[in-house]
Amino acid sequence: MPEPLLIAEQVSRHYRLPRETVFGAPHVVRALNDISFTLQAGRSLGVVGESGSGKSTLARLVMALEKPDAGHVRFAGQDLAALDASALRRARAGFQMVFQDPYGSLDPRRTVRQTVSEPLAVLHGAARGEQRERADEVMAAVGLRSSDLDKYPHEFSGGQRQRIAIARALITRPRLIVADEPVSALDVSVQAQVLNLMQDLQDRYGVTYLFISHDIAVVDLVCDEVLVLQHGVVVERGATREVFNHPQHDYTRTLLAAAPQAERPVLQP
């Protein structure tokens, strides 16, 4: 078996809060404690847990937006925290992020072309001709038109804006996409469209997904494996259907029991 694309080795991240009194010790929030996992190229790993479980902290560490207090995050064999600024900039072309709020993650003052092309310009220093060509390519890949590149975010629906955000993530041709609650702000019918798109892109381009979500139904639909976080600790991990059909930890059972059953996205076969 080839080396995993993404490896987390005993990763911990703690935050010190302001002192409540002059002489009191600062409180420490242990957001992640001794987290370890691997993710093979072309696979999807879902990370589930309640708010405050450490999901978004994990996403920031994988994106090298923060450094772990202990342990290592390795992408394609490289320890991201050990890279200097120049090497990290080069490495970033290989991993991109899709955020929860498709409108909030797009600058309303910039055209779609400016937004989508920016990672290619910043990380690759691509010439304008290459930027135009790649922008047309990724817009087609997410089911939008080249003419949409000259519009502004407010001219699109929520589902279309998330497609634009995915196009922006795809333009550097990354091997890994970290998706942080990518469909939670969308209606159920639109969620299905975006999830179908993400699966289609994985089939076509071999993209690897780290899928952060509180929605167990969505993770069950799209992820090969799942990691369950509680208070910054991994309490369960395994094949998604196995974990959800036969949970071994009380916390996983609690999450499953609390998951709404009325509506869920329906993916195309």
Side-chain angles (χ1 to χ4, degrees), residues 14 30 34 39 42 54 66 82 94 117 125 205 223 242:
H14 303 156
R30 303 182 183 279
D34 200 25
L39 178 56
E66 297 182 15
S117 300
Y205 300 112
C223 294
E242 180 64 24

Side-chain angles (χ1 to χ4, degrees), residues 97-140:
M97 191 165 186
V98 176
F99 296 92
Q100 176 178 356
D101 181 0
Y103 192 71
S105 66
L106 303 175
D107 188 336
R109 298 165 299 181
R110 295 167 67 86
T111 65
V112 171
R113 182 183 304 278
Q114 290 172 311
T115 295
V116 168
S117 300
E118 184 177 29
L120 194 62
V122 172
L123 298 176
H124 281 292
R128 289 188 180 275
E130 183 180 357
Q131 291 179 39
R132 286 194 296 269
E133 182 179 335
R134 289 270 200 102
D136 289 342
E137 176 188 321
V138 295
M139 289 293 279

Side-chain angles (χ1 to χ4, degrees), residues 129-228:
E130 183 180 357
Q131 291 179 39
R132 286 194 296 269
E133 182 179 335
R134 289 270 200 102
D136 289 342
E137 176 188 321
V138 295
M139 289 293 279
V142 301
L144 295 174
R145 297 169 298 181
S146 295
S147 59
D148 291 328
L149 285 163
D150 297 316
K151 298 178 182 178
Y152 289 85
H154 72 271
E155 300 180 69
F156 298 90
S157 68
Q160 289 173 323
R161 287 195 289 262
Q162 196 62 299
R163 287 173 180 263
I164 293 168
I166 293 171
R168 176 178 58 187
L170 281 174
I171 198 164
T172 62
R173 297 174 181 167
R175 301 177 66 188
L176 170 70
I177 290 180
V178 178
D180 190 0
E181 303 278 10
V183 297
S184 64
L186 308 175
D187 292 338
V188 172
S189 60
V190 182
Q191 286 184 12
Q193 296 172 16
V194 173
L195 294 173
N196 276 315
L197 168 63
M198 294 179 72
Q199 288 197 310
D200 179 57
L201 295 173
Q202 186 173 49
D203 292 340
R204 279 198 278 169
Y205 300 112
V207 179
T208 305
Y209 290 121
L210 182 68
F211 202 99
I212 310 291
S213 182
H214 70 279
D215 192 329
I216 284 178
V218 168
V219 171
D220 188 28
L221 284 170
V222 302
C223 294
D224 304 302
E225 296 179 277
V226 63
L227 183 150
V228 183

Side-chain angles (χ1 to χ4, degrees), residues 19-91:
R19 297 173 187 266
E20 294 184 355
T21 62
V22 174
F23 299 106
H27 290 290
V28 176
V29 176
R30 303 182 183 279
L32 291 176
N33 288 285
D34 200 25
I35 300 293
S36 295
F37 66 87
T38 60
L39 178 56
Q40 292 288 342
R43 304 281 287 177
S44 298
L45 173 63
V47 181
V48 301
E50 298 172 297
S51 296
S53 61
K55 304 187 303 296
S56 293
T57 298
L58 179 59
R60 289 194 297 272
L61 295 182
V62 171
M63 289 300 300
L65 299 175
E66 297 182 15
K67 292 184 179 182
D69 295 312
H72 306 277
V73 176
R74 302 184 190 278
F75 173 75
Q78 293 182 300
D79 183 347
L80 296 179
L83 299 178
D84 61 28
S86 177
L88 181 58
R89 180 184 290 262
R90 291 193 298 271

